[in-house]
Amino acid sequence: MRALLREKAFRSLAAGRALTFFGNSMAPVVLAFAVLDLGGSAVDVGLVVGARSVSNVVLLLFGGLLADRMPRALVLQGAALSAAAVQAGVGIAVLAGRAPLGILLVLSVVQGAASAVSMPASAALIPRTVAAGELRGANALSRMGVNAGMIAGTSFGGLLAALAGPGWGMVLNGVAFLGAALAYGAAGRALARRRAAAAEEDSAEATASGATAVEGGPGASDGAAEGPWHALREGWREFVSRTWVWVVVAQFFVVNAVSAGGIQVLGPTVADATFGRTLWGFVLAAQMAGALVGGLLVARSRSRHALRTGVAVVALDALPLAALAQSADVAVLLVAMFVNGVAIEQFGVAWDLSLQENVPQDKLARVYSYDALGSTLALPLGEMAAGPLAEHYGVRATLLCGVALVALVTAGALCSRQVRDLTTGGAVAPVDGAPAAGGSRGGRPPDAAEPLDAP
């Protein structure tokens, strides 16, 4: 991991991702308190926070399309700068007492849009910053930064809203996004220098061999003239043409719905009736701690069947639900959430690695956007269904039903031969039509991995 952090492009990208997720985690917290400080009701809070989710879902596919057609570092920088300007501006308006509910609604929409654009672009850019043999460790380290950013963002959001007011929270959020924009800019410059050095090296080799260098490269202009709908259909074809991709996304549509309803909705209900809200905060923190430990473990793994292992351990998502259903003591629930956090990272790194090594780089962000869309759509469904189901059938029965669903869809995903047999640890998938990049440890990333990447 220390060797990875010496790579300036990767280091800057990882820092930008951590700051972005810090800001994205803080935003809903400070927004909700800002609405309440203006005299808004719970309905108003739901409207403002929900607008962010709707904006995010609607624009996810556009974000993937944009990241496949433009330099990804530039896309990330633009999204972060937009979020920084709006967050800081609205924060200043809140501090001055000149921010009506409509302004907060606009902020929420912009925040969701920025998140939709940056999510697929940042994940798809990772293979450009490290050698193919270091991709597993890079994904693990990047996800550790993301998890740390999410923990800090949520914590600082509540703390600042309580001690200094939500306006200062928004201003700090703007500073975080500005820092992310600077980090993404540094990553883009590092990649540009690497491309320039590679171009000089290739030119020298071509001159020495008497060959004529071809201007541009695979993917340099492919797709520039195609319309957005054609590009989205092309991304959809890439998504559905690989059985292992849509099978796992279908699995997580169910798992995310069950977890969102069980942990986010029914979990606080059980906590209120048993061990209290304060200990519930420690329970959630245990999951994040498990994710950090899981990142360290998976970074050292060299398993060739990472996806099979990652999909299998998703069954451990059922542990916290089972503990809640049995009203287990806090110690048991803490252990269940910690183990669940470790399992989440095993899958998360395996999934990123599988996509990055097996999907053409010029379509990777679009496939990521369809993946994120399938997962995100499930969250409100699970959150809205959990309460009525618990009222009708009881909390325990609803949670145990969730345990059965997680086990069932995980077993179903493992029935796919593609899921079981997919291997990782080889070459990064090239741009369509380009030769595959070698997966040797320590080699530089392939120059053709990102289309339209020239300044």
Side-chain angles (χ1 to χ4, degrees), residues 133-154:
E134 302 291 354
L135 199 51
R136 189 191 305 264
N139 279 296
L141 190 55
S142 178
R143 286 179 61 88
M144 288 168 64
V146 164
N147 286 327
M150 291 171 66
I151 296 170
T154 304

Side-chain angles (χ1 to χ4, degrees), residues 8 19 33 39 67 69 106 158 167 198 200 226 257 276 316 326 350 397 400 404 407 410 416 421 431 438:
K8 184 172 182 181
L19 287 169
F33 284 112
R69 293 166 69 97
V106 171
E200 289 180 7
E226 69 184 18
L316 296 176
Q326 301 303 324
L400 290 178
T410 300
S416 167
D421 293 348
V431 173

Side-chain angles (χ1 to χ4, degrees), residues 70-112:
M70 294 182 64
R72 288 167 186 160
L74 182 63
V75 170
L76 291 167
Q77 193 173 14
L81 283 173
S82 300
V86 176
Q87 285 277 359
V90 175
I92 292 171
V94 169
L95 291 173
R98 297 179 178 275
L101 189 63
I103 294 295
L104 298 181
L105 191 62
V106 171
L107 168 61
S108 187
V109 170
V110 172
Q111 184 68 46

